[in-house]
Amino acid sequence: MLGVMLLVFVAARLWPPPPAASHAAPSPHAPHTRPVSPPTEELPEVAVPPPRPPEFAPGQAVTIALTEPPAERYLSVKTDGNDEFYGKLVREESHGKAVFDPSLGRAAREFVYQFSNLGMDPPSDVRTFLTTSSGAIAGDTVFQHLRSNSDAEGALRQAIRAVLDGSTIGSGVLHVGVGEVLQPGASLARHIGVVGTRLGIDVEPLSRRVALGESWRLRGRMHAPWRHLEALELRPDGSLATLEVRVTGSALEVVVPGEARPGGVELQVVGEGPDGPGKLVQVRVEVGQPLPVRYAATLTPDETPLKSADSAAAYALQLLNADRQAHGVPPLAWDPQLAAIAREHSADMRDNGFFGHVSPTTGMHPDRLAKAKYVAIASAENVAHNPSVFEAELGLMHSLGHRRNILDPQMTHVGVGVAGADDDQGRRRWWLTQLFARPSPHLTPAAAVAEVRRQLTAQRQELDLPALRDNAALDEVADTALQLALNDQLEDASSRALALAQERHAVHGRLRVWTAVTADLAQMQWPEAAKLPASRSIGLAAAQREDGRVALILLLSEGI
């Protein structure tokens, strides 16, 4: 019986200190592996699923134990005879387009055992723990689980083909791992697992742990050009830092400084790739502590009460704000207009067979906001594709770029759009879009001018300088030149203001003109002339443009 699970990892996960578990899964025995040579006869498959352990329930806390010692390094699992046979099948079924990865094969064995042990799909954080513990590097992942009592290679080929057909998300070379576990005495004793992931980079083997204070390097070679690369580091204290990405041709290197405290360090490289914004790679390294052999997790809760996309979106908002609250960030307000835009993007991904931020018809999220005439000081978007809303939020929180968006304190509003569909076995899948924004407040020209005057007065008070005096003549000059600034002709606006001031004899002493367009008055860096003791009076005009930004003209005079 072929069990198909589309397990879309938003990225590699972070493992916080494990919470107390209400139930610990029994320590597993090491799995048996298949022989190297293919069997000579093919037996009929019996479609009898293994019994589901009654002690595990949705939403339950469990402790997962590895069946094999954790790999000391990434991509260092040695190929054995079985892997040579699996690799041959992968090459044949993919016509040489897929790469066999023995580290992913080891992860596939762990996936199969935990699936069989729990009687349900392991949550995404568990799958990432198993993948990383196996020394594999993976992005968005497809997993196929097949149970059989046949010793023939037909079952293996069937599972491999399913992964090849299902690995459509992401770009780069498809890496495939195959692993098996035997359960003697079971009606379907042979458990086959196949894992597939697409990677846009070949990473050099890397140690999975370093000593306290020891720096380490992530090196690799990109398959295609990526732009605007940055490295995000999640440190043991929970802080998020940005590191330099050094690029020479297709080669990439990130140097991670040493840590003074023990714990796990997550590193993710993000940027703009062939399919738009996304992550290139994410790894975890243990600092000053042993590699973990157990992992505490919560099984995916029962989501059968989510009967509609609206109820799923409401649940997604609840999970999102719970994560913000847990990290000391204020909750986000629900924005119906953002939700409508997000909902359309989720439906677009579902209906048109793509997954990502870039739509063939609507572009990127700033394009969608502009079309809806939604004006924002700042905005961001997360997307996920998972079998449950719970796993979608879990995966987003453990992908550092998405985590940064979720916990961004400058965001004040959010809309969550969800689109659902059932697969060919009747199981629900969700496409989820989180659209964050800090809406631009509506400002009248008088309100904008008053806010600028307030900020300038407060700044000069901090410097023990007298407030700038209002100059009505300069106000009129600034107001006349403002139209040019509204149309982004800032240099022309400055020249026009100076010329008008001279024509109207409004210049008394040295006159300086400053123009700007800003999305957020609160973040303005005012000109140095506003802080000079010699500046005595001011002319000012401001107005909000259609895109929500504010255009400003300041005339600072040394005369009264």
Side-chain angles (χ1 to χ4, degrees):
M1 184 170 67
L2 182 65
V4 181
M5 291 189 291
L6 178 61
L7 310 180
V8 178
F9 291 6
V10 181
R13 312 308 196 240
L14 163 72
W15 303 298
S22 61
H23 181 87
S27 298
H29 299 292
H32 303 277
T33 56
R34 302 305 303 166
V36 174
S37 59
T40 57
E41 63 177 11
E42 186 162 346
L43 302 177
E45 295 189 8
V46 181
V48 178
R52 176 171 176 162
E55 65 271 22
F56 295 107
Q60 180 177 337
V62 297
T63 298
I64 302 298
L66 297 175
T67 66
E68 304 176 49
E72 291 286 338
R73 295 175 61 82
Y74 284 105
L75 306 173
S76 62
V77 174
K78 296 182 179 179
T79 303
D80 59 18
N82 287 350
D83 289 330
E84 293 175 1
F85 176 57
Y86 296 146
K88 171 180 173 293
L89 297 184
V90 169
R91 289 188 295 273
E92 290 176 356
E93 292 297 329
S94 69
H95 305 289
K97 295 181 180 180
V99 175
F100 178 78
D101 184 341
S103 299
L104 282 176
R106 179 172 171 174
R109 291 198 299 271
E110 292 284 3
F111 278 26
V112 166
Y113 180 87
Q114 300 301 340
F115 180 93
S116 303
N117 186 44
L118 295 172
M120 64 182 72
D121 297 354
S124 57
D125 59 334
V126 171
R127 298 194 297 268
T128 300
F129 168 69
L130 300 175
T131 302
T132 303
S133 298
S134 300
I137 292 178
D140 299 332
T141 304
V142 173
F143 171 51
Q144 300 290 344
H145 179 204
L146 186 148
R147 301 185 292 271
S148 174
N149 61 5
S150 168
D151 285 334
E153 70 180 56
L156 282 167
R157 291 185 180 274
Q158 182 182 1
I160 291 170
R161 285 196 298 269
V163 164
L164 297 176
D165 294 340
S167 299
T168 58
I169 294 176
S171 61
V173 176
L174 177 60
H175 294 244
V176 177
V178 182
E180 299 187 59
V181 174
L182 290 179
Q183 289 188 328
S187 59
L188 294 171
R190 186 185 187 189
H191 290 249
I192 299 170
V194 182
V195 177
T197 187
R198 291 190 178 275
L199 294 174
I201 183 172
D202 292 327
V203 177
E204 294 184 7
L206 170 71
S207 176
R208 291 191 54 232
R209 60 177 174 176
V210 298
L212 285 174
E214 179 184 354
S215 63
W216 51 281
R217 286 173 170 79
L218 173 72
R219 294 189 179 98
R221 190 166 293 277
M222 297 178 287
H223 299 160
W226 280 64
R227 301 183 304 156
H228 310 306
L229 288 173
E230 64 174 338
L232 304 177
E233 178 197 9
L234 186 62
R235 296 169 172 167
D237 62 3
S239 62
L240 196 63
T242 302
L243 303 178
E244 178 188 5
V245 180
R246 301 172 184 171
V247 178
T248 305
S250 63
L252 172 153
E253 180 183 63
V254 180
V255 178
V256 183
E259 283 289 336
R261 68 174 68 189
V265 170
E266 293 273 356
L267 180 70
Q268 184 182 81
V269 179
V270 298
E272 292 184 21
D275 298 322
K279 64 181 179 299
L280 183 59
V281 66
Q282 181 165 332
V283 296
R284 176 185 170 94
V285 169
E286 306 296 330
V287 178
Q289 65 181 18
L291 296 173
V293 297
R294 293 177 180 269
Y295 179 66
T298 300
L299 298 180
T300 303
D302 179 14
E303 294 189 1
T304 54
L306 303 180
K307 301 298 185 183
S308 67
D310 287 343
S311 61
Y315 179 47
L317 175 67
Q318 176 186 339
L319 294 174
L320 188 157
N321 274 333
D323 281 331
R324 284 177 67 94
Q325 182 179 5
H327 290 83
V329 185
L332 295 169
W334 180 260
D335 189 313
Q337 189 176 4
L338 289 177
I341 299 169
R343 186 165 53 247
E344 289 180 5
H345 184 61
S346 292
D348 187 15
M349 290 190 290
R350 177 196 62 191
D351 298 340
N352 293 297
F354 74 95
F355 174 72
H357 298 284
V358 182
S359 165
T361 55
T362 66
M364 296 178 62
H365 88 266
D367 303 312
R368 294 186 278 275
L369 289 175
K371 182 180 178 181
K373 298 187 183 303
Y374 190 98
V375 180
I377 294 172
S379 64
E381 180 183 76
N382 287 344
V383 294
H385 181 203
N386 292 84
S388 74
V389 177
F390 176 84
E391 288 199 54
E393 177 65 15
L394 187 68
L396 290 169
M397 274 297 290
H398 287 90
S399 172
L400 302 191
H402 299 94
R403 178 189 184 95
R404 178 169 61 178
N405 289 340
I406 290 173
L407 301 181
D408 189 345
Q410 77 166 326
M411 299 299 177
T412 57
H413 291 68
V414 71
V416 181
V418 179
D422 294 334
D423 62 18
D424 55 6
Q425 297 189 19
R427 290 177 296 198
R428 177 65 54 171
R429 293 179 292 151
W430 297 110
W431 287 258
L432 180 144
T433 302
Q434 297 171 335
L435 188 52
F436 307 90
R438 182 177 178 183
S440 297
H442 177 69
L443 293 172
T444 64
V449 167
E451 175 60 20
V452 174
R453 293 189 187 279
R454 185 194 66 79
Q455 291 192 34
L456 292 178
T457 298
Q459 191 174 74
R460 288 180 68 88
Q461 285 178 344
E462 291 180 1
L463 299 173
D464 292 327
L465 296 175
L468 296 168
R469 296 185 180 184
D470 298 339
N471 186 312
L474 292 181
D475 284 344
E476 291 180 5
V477 169
D479 191 63
T480 302
L482 179 62
Q483 190 60 46
L484 292 172
L486 287 172
N487 295 326
D488 271 338
Q489 298 172 274
L490 300 184
E491 185 174 344
D492 291 342
S494 297
S495 300
R496 177 62 171 155
L498 281 172
L500 282 173
Q502 292 173 350
E503 289 174 11
R504 298 179 183 183
H505 306 288
V507 178
H508 303 284
R510 186 172 182 180
L511 180 67
R512 297 178 177 89
V513 180
W514 183 80
T515 57
V517 175
T518 180
D520 188 4
L521 286 175
Q523 301 296 321
M524 281 299 302
Q525 298 294 321
W526 301 110
E528 288 299 315
K531 308 173 189 177
L532 295 177
S535 295
R536 305 287 299 280
S537 62
I538 183 173
L540 172 62
Q544 193 166 30
R545 307 179 346 161
E546 288 187 2
D547 64 3
R549 295 191 296 169
V550 176
L552 305 166
I553 296 183
L554 275 66
L555 287 82
L556 298 162
S557 174
E558 294 184 358
I560 301 301

